[in-house]
Amino acid sequence: MEASDTIFVAFKKAILGFLQGFLPDWTVVIVSILISITAIAIFGPVTMMYLTWLERKVVGRIQNRYGPNRVGIFGLLQPIADGVKMLTKEDIVPQAADKVTHFLAPVIVVIPALLVFSVLPFGKGMAAVNLNVGLLFFLAISTMSTIAIFMGSWGSRNKFSLLGGMRAVAQMVSYEIPMVMSVVPVILVTGSLSTVSIVEAQLGGKWFVFTPWGFFAAIVFFLCGVAEVNRTPFDLPEGESEIIAGFHTEYSGMKFALFYMAEFMSAFAISGLTATLFFGGWDGPFLPSWVWFLIKAYAMIFIMIWFRGTLPRLRVDQLMGFAWKLLLPFALLNIFVAALWQLLPAPKNLIVAGAAEAVVLVVIFVAARKDSPQKRTYIFAD
Amino acid sequence: MSETALHSQEPQLLEVSIGPQHPSTHGVFRMNVVLDGETIVKLKPVMGYLHRNHEQLAENMSYLASMPYTDRLDYICSMTNNFAYATAVEKLAGIDVPERAQYIRVLMAELTRLVNHTLLVGFLLNDLGAFFTPILYAFREREKILDFFEATAGSRMMCNYFRFGGLKSDLPAGGLEQVKKIVNNYSRFLDEFERLLTNNEILRSRCQNVGILSKELAVSASITGPMLRASGVNYDIRKVDKYSIYDRFEFKVPLGKVGDVYDRYYVRILEMRESIKILQQILKQMPEKGEIISAKGAAAGKSPRMWKPPAGDAYGRIESPKGELGFYLVSDGTPKPYRYHVRPPSFINITILEDMCLGYKVADAIIILGSVDIVLGEVDR
Amino acid sequence: MFGFGVLKGMSVTLWNFILSYIYPKKGITTVQYPEKKKEVEERFRNFPFLVYDGTPDNMRCVACDICAKECPPKCIYIIPEKDAQGRIQKKPATFDIDYAICMNCGICEEVCPFDAIFMDHEYELSEYDRLSDLMYPKEKLLKPVEHFMKIRPTDCGAIEAQRAAKGIKGRAAQVQSAPAATVKPAETQQNPPANA
Amino acid sequence: MDALHILAKLGIFAAMLVTLTAAVMVVTLRNIFHCALALILVLLGVAAAYISLKAEFFAVIQILLYVGAIMTLVIFAIMLTSRIGDKTILQNNRQGLISFALLGLFNVFFTGAVLKTSWNLNPAAMAANVDAGVLGAAFMNEYVFPFEIISVVLIVALVGAIILGRADQ
């Protein structure tokens, strides 16, 4: 088990050892950085391609049909076919568009999506960079995609993308705060911002999701993550049925593929982070560590795709109301419960935290009852 | 950044044209919308992109020749279009319809109502953003009914099955068993559909109190069909006219209270359950044997070009799934109708789209249009 | 309360997802088209075809032009054959149906007094050029009675029984039994053939 | 190892160069939206400077607050002022000469002050106390009073914003 667990780390050490022989040592440091970068640069787009495939398969199966199965055995070559199609598609730039912003937007939208992978602990000792502010780094970089999306919508000078852009910025800004607030209990308990130490705090099955505050913090964080990534039921910025394709209406060919890639890579990153923060990252009994991380991340992705196959879309003001009136107060109250949990000794804290959490839930439900939709009655005349 | 920030002193009004090239306008239909931020200030529906000159064509052809064209009016429920046209011509020429043909006609009309309402709910959820799942469940059930239509009439959607005074042909050999199977597990499908949709909080919050249509406006704008009944007006032509043999079946007419998008959605689900009740009664009461077309009807069908109905005019109407579908025919004794006019429920229901959409958001306008249930073939004729 | 309706909805989709794996017959509705084809119902009507008994030249059609006149979109074009002396024969020289215009409504089949034209089941007819390729001449339209019997057994059986009862033999038998000039086949009394 | 240092130095100089050019672009570009983007680049450059001084926490806070929140609202403001986004306004005017003179004067004083003060730079001490935990503790212990005042000021600003926003409901 030990060997397979750190197979990649050993592989990297082997390369470095081999290079040690005839390269000056400062180049070896650069090579080791380069190896991690190439690993991420390959892992990112490949996950994106096979996430599109997985999404079409799962949504297909939800809708009683097969999903792509013509290209390759189970349609496994479909993402490659899509990639080639995207490359060969004509890249139309609207005549009235602001050329610079229109061109820069897809480029800048991919950078945060890739940067964010550097902080995720894929396995034991396999986090590309062990920043001691890793979690904050993740949250900060993911806000940059807001600006890129807005550049895309502003640059293409199209009314629908303008609407999409406005919605995207409003949504991202208002879901950033509950997301950060829902992460605070995790930092409070582990005492450090680094994702690697967060995972170490959960080793041995003591995952945060089993604690009363952790379960609800995970839900809030996941919902905010789905909103951050613009996926159903929060996919207003590209509401197909309302504003055609929102901010990427005027993009075609490879530029559209970049937007698409950024969306899927950040979806994987958010699921990876949820797994790290609440589901114990790469901690798991038998399988090697990185396999556990992938299982958990793909479980989260399955839930996101499941959302996409079922739920309709929220309206703009309901979206805001949901974030400000429900998620944010809930996350704040959750911090107190986590503090309570952290303060008391082991057996008592579960009971007290559980009770506190129940009180919090009741308070939130009662407060939200007013504007939550009521049941309807119908009369049967003849 | 709440909505109010967008109302700067001189509101920056955005003129947007939604459609005809738009993913959710149910065909080629355009809405010129003036937006203040996301709220709708003015909305002008633009139609006519699918105008095929149906009425002028019908005035240059024999009566039977325009029967296949009525399939293409509201291409989702072709059987009810034939039914309305056949009723109108029978009223014009005084042709009677035998017993078994009446039963099969009502059977086909109620099956088309199921198809239309299931599709409507599916398309409404599509506009709401549910990524094709409800619509594909709706298609899965619709296929079974369309297979039955293909077995009896010969084509899935363009049935051309009704003739003046009866039907083109009788049910095929295994026809009744196929209908029994469809009717028996349709209510199970409806329960699954309701479990997926009705109490869904997102659907509820998106559809409740959106696009409210008051009773007075509905009546004054001569709205008919489920839209009218969702606003609480008890007007169903099957009960008012008691045409064909609808008086032999006992079924209820569901009425809404508020008249918003949610009521229009749920009234249609309840109507589907009533249709299933009617279908079950038909299966019990239908006579085994019986001629399929009356003597006068057969004579009319022998050589349609020569058949001359007596001069005069007639207005035949039925309760199609979208509302009151009527055909007004004026005959001057020649084989070609002198005047042929269709009263399309979709066209009349869409006229008040602006009154329902004012003050709501762009996303609401799309689902209000979806809840009105228009089919452009019928709107533009 | 809040959230439970959504969860109930999601349980439906999850059930469909699992159903499609454990019980594909009910869970999957797709028919893999090119490999497996969904067999059409017996009364399915696609574009019309002309019927002949035995050899293609003794086709049932007598060029009476009723179907051409009755056809709503007017997609049938018939020119009757002329013999040496220029007299009209009871056979079409050219019989074109423009499949691009035909909407397979089946009216020609109903009004044809000579049971000569019926609706086919063939639906894979895509062509490259809409104008010339879809204009089917007589040769491409002619199909034997056996084909009609194969695709629509009950209808064909009923019609054959009717024809046998009325003693209408195929054209071949008619030609030998009566002089070619003025053949009065039994079935045309009720309406005189109003050929152009 | 010094090769690595040279490379690091080169990287820092490049980052600073980009920041400076972006700063100049902020004031010289014609399209105001492009100026906002250049400003974002400047702020990212400042974050790069923090990183080069091994203060990762500040760099991340800089990105999270400035680039993520403040610049987004600046862009929102640009977009909402009617029709300003796509107009290209000429940035320069005739007072170029006088401003250069004043600028020169200010620079003389500024570089003089910088050179005179003795910065007691010993990297060991600096790297030690920049960890987030230490900062948190400092907020809660020595500097708890200013911390509370700032939070009161922020609350007042928040309430003010809501009242202003709701004013024309």
Side-chain angles (χ1 to χ4, degrees), chain D residues 53-97:
Chain D
L53 297 169
K54 290 195 185 45
E56 289 99 1
F57 182 71
F58 285 106
V60 166
I61 289 292
Q62 163 90 353
I63 293 176
L64 183 66
L65 290 184
Y66 274 100
V67 175
I70 292 175
M71 280 320 289
T72 317
L73 293 185
V74 164
I75 290 176
F76 234 57
I78 291 176
M79 183 187 62
L80 289 182
T81 41
S82 56
R83 295 277 180 288
I84 194 167
D86 40 27
K87 261 213 297 298
T88 52
I89 335 148
L90 267 164
Q91 298 285 353
N92 39 34
N93 47 31
R94 282 184 314 286
Q95 292 131 358
L97 214 59

CSV table of all heavy atoms in Angstrom, one decimal, chain D residues 53-97:
chain,number,residue,atom,x,y,z
D,53,LEU,N,8.6,39.6,-1.3
D,53,LEU,CA,9.1,39.9,0.1
D,53,LEU,C,8.7,38.8,1.0
D,53,LEU,O,8.6,39.1,2.3
D,53,LEU,CB,8.7,41.3,0.6
D,53,LEU,CG,9.2,42.5,-0.3
D,53,LEU,CD1,8.4,43.7,0.1
D,53,LEU,CD2,10.7,42.6,-0.1
D,54,LYS,N,8.2,37.7,0.5
D,54,LYS,CA,7.8,36.5,1.3
D,54,LYS,C,6.6,36.8,2.2
D,54,LYS,O,6.5,36.2,3.3
D,54,LYS,CB,9.0,36.0,2.1
D,54,LYS,CG,10.1,35.3,1.3
D,54,LYS,CD,11.0,34.5,2.1
D,54,LYS,CE,12.1,34.0,1.2
D,54,LYS,NZ,12.7,35.1,0.3
D,55,ALA,N,5.8,37.8,1.9
D,55,ALA,CA,4.6,38.1,2.7
D,55,ALA,C,3.4,37.5,2.0
D,55,ALA,O,2.6,38.3,1.4
D,55,ALA,CB,4.5,39.6,2.9
D,56,GLU,N,3.3,36.2,1.9
D,56,GLU,CA,2.2,35.6,1.0
D,56,GLU,C,0.9,36.0,1.5
D,56,GLU,O,0.0,36.3,0.8
D,56,GLU,CB,2.3,34.1,1.1
D,56,GLU,CG,3.5,33.4,0.4
D,56,GLU,CD,4.5,33.1,1.4
D,56,GLU,OE1,4.3,33.3,2.6
D,56,GLU,OE2,5.6,32.6,1.0
D,57,PHE,N,0.7,36.1,2.9
D,57,PHE,CA,-0.6,36.4,3.4
D,57,PHE,C,-1.1,37.8,2.8
D,57,PHE,O,-2.2,37.9,2.3
D,57,PHE,CB,-0.6,36.5,4.9
D,57,PHE,CG,-1.9,36.7,5.6
D,57,PHE,CD1,-2.9,35.7,5.5
D,57,PHE,CD2,-2.2,37.9,6.1
D,57,PHE,CE1,-4.2,36.0,6.1
D,57,PHE,CE2,-3.5,38.2,6.7
D,57,PHE,CZ,-4.4,37.2,6.6
D,58,PHE,N,-0.2,38.8,2.8
D,58,PHE,CA,-0.6,40.1,2.3
D,58,PHE,C,-0.9,40.0,0.8
D,58,PHE,O,-1.9,40.6,0.3
D,58,PHE,CB,0.5,41.1,2.6
D,58,PHE,CG,0.6,41.5,4.0
D,58,PHE,CD1,1.6,41.1,4.8
D,58,PHE,CD2,-0.4,42.3,4.6
D,58,PHE,CE1,1.6,41.4,6.2
D,58,PHE,CE2,-0.4,42.6,5.9
D,58,PHE,CZ,0.6,42.2,6.7
D,59,ALA,N,-0.1,39.2,0.1
D,59,ALA,CA,-0.3,39.1,-1.3
D,59,ALA,C,-1.7,38.6,-1.6
D,59,ALA,O,-2.5,39.1,-2.3
D,59,ALA,CB,0.7,38.2,-2.0
D,60,VAL,N,-2.1,37.5,-0.8
D,60,VAL,CA,-3.4,36.9,-1.1
D,60,VAL,C,-4.5,37.8,-0.7
D,60,VAL,O,-5.5,38.0,-1.4
D,60,VAL,CB,-3.4,35.6,-0.3
D,60,VAL,CG1,-4.8,35.1,-0.3
D,60,VAL,CG2,-2.5,34.5,-0.9
D,61,ILE,N,-4.3,38.5,0.5
D,61,ILE,CA,-5.3,39.5,0.9
D,61,ILE,C,-5.5,40.6,-0.2
D,61,ILE,O,-6.6,41.0,-0.6
D,61,ILE,CB,-5.0,40.1,2.2
D,61,ILE,CG1,-5.1,39.0,3.3
D,61,ILE,CG2,-5.8,41.3,2.6
D,61,ILE,CD1,-6.5,38.6,3.6
D,62,GLN,N,-4.3,41.0,-0.7
D,62,GLN,CA,-4.3,42.1,-1.7
D,62,GLN,C,-5.2,41.6,-2.9
D,62,GLN,O,-6.1,42.3,-3.4
D,62,GLN,CB,-2.9,42.3,-2.2
D,62,GLN,CG,-2.8,43.0,-3.5
D,62,GLN,CD,-2.7,44.5,-3.3
D,62,GLN,OE1,-2.9,45.0,-2.2
D,62,GLN,NE2,-2.5,45.2,-4.4
D,63,ILE,N,-4.9,40.4,-3.4
D,63,ILE,CA,-5.7,39.9,-4.5
D,63,ILE,C,-7.2,39.8,-4.1
D,63,ILE,O,-8.1,40.2,-4.8
D,63,ILE,CB,-5.1,38.5,-5.0
D,63,ILE,CG1,-3.7,38.7,-5.6
D,63,ILE,CG2,-6.0,37.9,-6.1
D,63,ILE,CD1,-3.1,37.4,-6.0
D,64,LEU,N,-7.4,39.1,-3.0
D,64,LEU,CA,-8.8,38.9,-2.6
D,64,LEU,C,-9.6,40.2,-2.5
D,64,LEU,O,-10.7,40.4,-3.1
D,64,LEU,CB,-8.9,38.1,-1.3
D,64,LEU,CG,-10.2,37.7,-0.8
D,64,LEU,CD1,-10.8,36.7,-1.7
D,64,LEU,CD2,-10.2,37.2,0.6
D,65,LEU,N,-9.0,41.2,-1.8
D,65,LEU,CA,-9.8,42.4,-1.6
D,65,LEU,C,-9.7,43.3,-2.8
D,65,LEU,O,-10.8,43.7,-3.4
D,65,LEU,CB,-9.2,43.1,-0.3
D,65,LEU,CG,-9.5,42.3,1.0
D,65,LEU,CD1,-9.1,43.1,2.2
D,65,LEU,CD2,-11.0,42.0,1.1
D,66,TYR,N,-8.5,43.7,-3.2
D,66,TYR,CA,-8.5,44.7,-4.2
D,66,TYR,C,-9.0,44.2,-5.6
D,66,TYR,O,-9.9,44.7,-6.1
D,66,TYR,CB,-7.0,45.2,-4.4
D,66,TYR,CG,-6.7,46.3,-3.4
D,66,TYR,CD1,-6.0,46.0,-2.2
D,66,TYR,CD2,-7.1,47.6,-3.6
D,66,TYR,CE1,-5.7,47.0,-1.3
D,66,TYR,CE2,-6.8,48.6,-2.7
D,66,TYR,CZ,-6.1,48.3,-1.6
D,66,TYR,OH,-5.8,49.3,-0.6
D,67,VAL,N,-8.3,43.1,-6.0
D,67,VAL,CA,-8.7,42.7,-7.4
D,67,VAL,C,-10.1,42.0,-7.3
D,67,VAL,O,-11.0,42.3,-8.1
D,67,VAL,CB,-7.7,41.6,-7.9
D,67,VAL,CG1,-8.1,41.1,-9.2
D,67,VAL,CG2,-6.3,42.3,-7.9
D,68,GLY,N,-10.4,41.2,-6.3
D,68,GLY,CA,-11.6,40.5,-6.3
D,68,GLY,C,-12.8,41.4,-6.0
D,68,GLY,O,-13.8,41.3,-6.7
D,69,ALA,N,-12.7,42.3,-5.0
D,69,ALA,CA,-13.9,43.0,-4.6
D,69,ALA,C,-13.9,44.5,-5.2
D,69,ALA,O,-14.8,44.9,-5.9
D,69,ALA,CB,-14.0,43.0,-3.1
D,70,ILE,N,-12.9,45.2,-4.8
D,70,ILE,CA,-12.9,46.6,-5.1
D,70,ILE,C,-12.9,46.9,-6.6
D,70,ILE,O,-13.7,47.6,-7.2
D,70,ILE,CB,-11.7,47.3,-4.4
D,70,ILE,CG1,-11.9,47.3,-2.9
D,70,ILE,CG2,-11.6,48.8,-4.9
D,70,ILE,CD1,-10.8,47.8,-2.1
D,71,MET,N,-12.0,46.2,-7.3
D,71,MET,CA,-12.0,46.4,-8.8
D,71,MET,C,-13.3,46.0,-9.4
D,71,MET,O,-13.8,46.6,-10.4
D,71,MET,CB,-10.8,45.7,-9.4
D,71,MET,CG,-9.5,46.4,-9.2
D,71,MET,SD,-9.6,48.2,-9.4
D,71,MET,CE,-9.9,48.3,-11.1
D,72,THR,N,-13.9,44.9,-8.9
D,72,THR,CA,-15.2,44.5,-9.5
D,72,THR,C,-16.2,45.6,-9.4
D,72,THR,O,-16.9,46.0,-10.3
D,72,THR,CB,-15.7,43.3,-8.8
D,72,THR,OG1,-14.6,42.4,-8.6
D,72,THR,CG2,-16.8,42.5,-9.5
D,73,LEU,N,-16.2,46.3,-8.2
D,73,LEU,CA,-17.2,47.3,-8.0
D,73,LEU,C,-16.8,48.5,-8.8
D,73,LEU,O,-17.7,49.2,-9.4
D,73,LEU,CB,-17.2,47.7,-6.5
D,73,LEU,CG,-17.8,46.6,-5.6
D,73,LEU,CD1,-17.9,47.0,-4.2
D,73,LEU,CD2,-19.1,46.1,-6.2
D,74,VAL,N,-15.5,48.8,-9.0
D,74,VAL,CA,-15.1,49.9,-9.9
D,74,VAL,C,-15.7,49.6,-11.3
D,74,VAL,O,-16.3,50.5,-11.9
D,74,VAL,CB,-13.6,50.0,-9.9
D,74,VAL,CG1,-13.1,50.9,-11.1
D,74,VAL,CG2,-13.1,50.6,-8.6
D,75,ILE,N,-15.5,48.4,-11.7
D,75,ILE,CA,-16.0,48.1,-13.1
D,75,ILE,C,-17.5,48.2,-13.1
D,75,ILE,O,-18.1,48.8,-14.1
D,75,ILE,CB,-15.6,46.6,-13.5
D,75,ILE,CG1,-14.1,46.6,-13.7
D,75,ILE,CG2,-16.3,46.2,-14.7
D,75,ILE,CD1,-13.5,45.2,-14.0
D,76,PHE,N,-18.2,47.8,-12.1
D,76,PHE,CA,-19.6,47.9,-12.0
D,76,PHE,C,-20.0,49.4,-12.2
D,76,PHE,O,-20.9,49.8,-12.9
D,76,PHE,CB,-20.1,47.4,-10.6
D,76,PHE,CG,-21.2,46.4,-10.7
D,76,PHE,CD1,-21.0,45.2,-11.5
D,76,PHE,CD2,-22.4,46.6,-10.2
D,76,PHE,CE1,-22.0,44.3,-11.6
D,76,PHE,CE2,-23.4,45.7,-10.3
D,76,PHE,CZ,-23.2,44.5,-11.0
D,77,ALA,N,-19.2,50.3,-11.4
D,77,ALA,CA,-19.5,51.7,-11.5
D,77,ALA,C,-19.4,52.2,-12.9
D,77,ALA,O,-20.3,52.9,-13.5
D,77,ALA,CB,-18.6,52.4,-10.6
D,78,ILE,N,-18.3,51.8,-13.6
D,78,ILE,CA,-18.0,52.3,-14.9
D,78,ILE,C,-19.2,51.9,-15.8
D,78,ILE,O,-19.8,52.6,-16.5
D,78,ILE,CB,-16.7,51.6,-15.5
D,78,ILE,CG1,-15.5,52.2,-14.8
D,78,ILE,CG2,-16.6,51.8,-17.0
D,78,ILE,CD1,-14.2,51.6,-15.2
D,79,MET,N,-19.6,50.6,-15.6
D,79,MET,CA,-20.6,50.1,-16.5
D,79,MET,C,-22.0,50.8,-16.3
D,79,MET,O,-22.8,51.0,-17.2
D,79,MET,CB,-20.8,48.6,-16.2
D,79,MET,CG,-21.8,47.8,-17.1
D,79,MET,SD,-21.9,46.2,-16.4
D,79,MET,CE,-22.6,46.6,-14.8
D,80,LEU,N,-22.2,51.2,-15.0
D,80,LEU,CA,-23.5,51.8,-14.8
D,80,LEU,C,-23.6,53.2,-15.2
D,80,LEU,O,-24.7,53.7,-15.5
D,80,LEU,CB,-23.9,51.6,-13.3
D,80,LEU,CG,-24.1,50.2,-12.8
D,80,LEU,CD1,-24.5,50.1,-11.4
D,80,LEU,CD2,-25.2,49.6,-13.7
D,81,THR,N,-22.5,53.9,-15.2
D,81,THR,CA,-22.6,55.3,-15.6
D,81,THR,C,-23.0,55.3,-17.1
D,81,THR,O,-22.3,54.6,-17.9
D,81,THR,CB,-21.3,56.1,-15.4
D,81,THR,OG1,-20.3,55.2,-15.8
D,81,THR,CG2,-21.1,56.5,-14.0
D,82,SER,N,-24.0,56.0,-17.5
D,82,SER,CA,-24.6,55.7,-18.8
D,82,SER,C,-23.7,56.0,-19.9
D,82,SER,O,-23.1,57.0,-20.0
D,82,SER,CB,-25.9,56.6,-18.9
D,82,SER,OG,-25.4,57.9,-18.8
D,83,ARG,N,-23.4,55.0,-20.7
D,83,ARG,CA,-22.7,55.1,-22.0
D,83,ARG,C,-21.3,55.6,-21.8
D,83,ARG,O,-20.7,56.1,-22.7
D,83,ARG,CB,-23.4,56.2,-22.9
D,83,ARG,CG,-24.8,55.9,-23.4
D,83,ARG,CD,-24.8,54.9,-24.6
D,83,ARG,NE,-26.2,54.7,-25.0
D,83,ARG,CZ,-27.0,53.9,-24.3
D,83,ARG,NH1,-26.5,53.3,-23.2
D,83,ARG,NH2,-28.2,53.6,-24.7
D,84,ILE,N,-20.7,55.4,-20.6
D,84,ILE,CA,-19.3,56.0,-20.4
D,84,ILE,C,-18.4,54.9,-20.9
D,84,ILE,O,-17.3,55.2,-21.4
D,84,ILE,CB,-19.0,56.4,-19.0
D,84,ILE,CG1,-17.8,57.3,-18.9
D,84,ILE,CG2,-19.0,55.2,-18.1
D,84,ILE,CD1,-17.6,58.0,-17.6
D,85,GLY,N,-18.8,53.7,-20.8
D,85,GLY,CA,-17.9,52.5,-21.0
D,85,GLY,C,-17.2,52.6,-22.4
D,85,GLY,O,-16.0,52.4,-22.5
D,86,ASP,N,-18.1,52.8,-23.4
D,86,ASP,CA,-17.5,52.7,-24.7
D,86,ASP,C,-17.0,54.0,-25.3
D,86,ASP,O,-16.6,54.0,-26.4
D,86,ASP,CB,-18.5,52.0,-25.6
D,86,ASP,CG,-19.9,52.5,-25.4
D,86,ASP,OD1,-19.9,53.7,-25.0
D,86,ASP,OD2,-20.9,51.8,-25.6
D,87,LYS,N,-17.2,55.1,-24.6
D,87,LYS,CA,-16.7,56.3,-25.2
D,87,LYS,C,-15.2,56.4,-24.9
D,87,LYS,O,-14.7,56.0,-23.9
D,87,LYS,CB,-17.3,57.6,-24.4
D,87,LYS,CG,-18.5,58.1,-25.2
D,87,LYS,CD,-18.6,59.7,-24.9
D,87,LYS,CE,-18.8,60.0,-23.5
D,87,LYS,NZ,-20.1,59.4,-23.0
D,88,THR,N,-14.5,56.9,-25.9
D,88,THR,CA,-13.0,57.0,-25.7
D,88,THR,C,-12.7,58.5,-25.5
D,88,THR,O,-12.9,59.3,-26.4
D,88,THR,CB,-12.2,56.5,-26.9
D,88,THR,OG1,-12.8,57.2,-28.0
D,88,THR,CG2,-12.5,55.0,-27.1
D,89,ILE,N,-12.3,58.8,-24.3
D,89,ILE,CA,-12.1,60.3,-23.9
D,89,ILE,C,-10.6,60.5,-24.0
D,89,ILE,O,-9.8,59.7,-23.5
D,89,ILE,CB,-12.6,60.6,-22.5
D,89,ILE,CG1,-13.7,59.6,-22.1
D,89,ILE,CG2,-13.2,62.0,-22.4
D,89,ILE,CD1,-13.8,59.3,-20.7
D,90,LEU,N,-10.2,61.7,-24.4
D,90,LEU,CA,-8.8,62.0,-24.4
D,90,LEU,C,-8.3,62.3,-23.0
D,90,LEU,O,-9.0,63.0,-22.3
D,90,LEU,CB,-8.6,63.3,-25.3
D,90,LEU,CG,-8.3,62.8,-26.8
D,90,LEU,CD1,-8.4,64.0,-27.7
D,90,LEU,CD2,-6.9,62.3,-26.8
D,91,GLN,N,-7.2,61.6,-22.6
D,91,GLN,CA,-6.8,61.7,-21.2
D,91,GLN,C,-5.9,62.9,-21.0
D,91,GLN,O,-5.9,63.4,-19.9
D,91,GLN,CB,-6.0,60.4,-20.9
D,91,GLN,CG,-6.8,59.1,-21.0
D,91,GLN,CD,-7.7,58.9,-19.8
D,91,GLN,OE1,-7.7,59.7,-18.9
D,91,GLN,NE2,-8.6,58.0,-19.9
D,92,ASN,N,-5.2,63.3,-22.0
D,92,ASN,CA,-4.2,64.3,-21.6
D,92,ASN,C,-4.7,65.7,-21.9
D,92,ASN,O,-5.6,65.9,-22.7
D,92,ASN,CB,-2.9,64.1,-22.5
D,92,ASN,CG,-3.3,63.7,-23.9
D,92,ASN,OD1,-4.3,64.1,-24.4
D,92,ASN,ND2,-2.5,62.7,-24.4
D,93,ASN,N,-4.2,66.7,-21.2
D,93,ASN,CA,-4.6,68.1,-21.4
D,93,ASN,C,-3.3,69.0,-21.4
D,93,ASN,O,-2.2,68.5,-21.3
D,93,ASN,CB,-5.5,68.5,-20.3
D,93,ASN,CG,-5.0,68.1,-19.0
D,93,ASN,OD1,-3.7,68.0,-18.8
D,93,ASN,ND2,-5.8,67.7,-18.1
D,94,ARG,N,-3.5,70.3,-21.5
D,94,ARG,CA,-2.3,71.1,-21.7
D,94,ARG,C,-1.5,71.3,-20.5
D,94,ARG,O,-0.4,72.0,-20.5
D,94,ARG,CB,-2.8,72.5,-22.3
D,94,ARG,CG,-3.1,72.4,-23.8
D,94,ARG,CD,-3.5,73.8,-24.3
D,94,ARG,NE,-4.4,74.5,-23.4
D,94,ARG,CZ,-5.7,74.2,-23.3
D,94,ARG,NH1,-6.2,73.2,-24.0
D,94,ARG,NH2,-6.5,74.9,-22.5
D,95,GLN,N,-1.9,70.8,-19.3
D,95,GLN,CA,-1.1,71.2,-18.1
D,95,GLN,C,0.0,70.2,-18.0
D,95,GLN,O,0.6,70.0,-16.9
D,95,GLN,CB,-2.0,71.1,-16.9
D,95,GLN,CG,-3.0,72.2,-16.8
D,95,GLN,CD,-4.4,71.7,-16.5
D,95,GLN,OE1,-4.5,70.5,-16.3
D,95,GLN,NE2,-5.4,72.5,-16.4
D,96,GLY,N,0.4,69.5,-19.0
D,96,GLY,CA,1.5,68.5,-18.9
D,96,GLY,C,2.7,69.0,-18.3
D,96,GLY,O,3.3,68.5,-17.3
D,97,LEU,N,3.2,70.2,-18.8
D,97,LEU,CA,4.5,70.7,-18.4
D,97,LEU,C,4.5,71.0,-16.9
D,97,LEU,O,5.4,70.5,-16.2
D,97,LEU,CB,4.7,72.1,-19.2
D,97,LEU,CG,6.2,72.3,-19.6
D,97,LEU,CD1,6.7,71.1,-20.4
D,97,LEU,CD2,6.3,73.6,-20.3
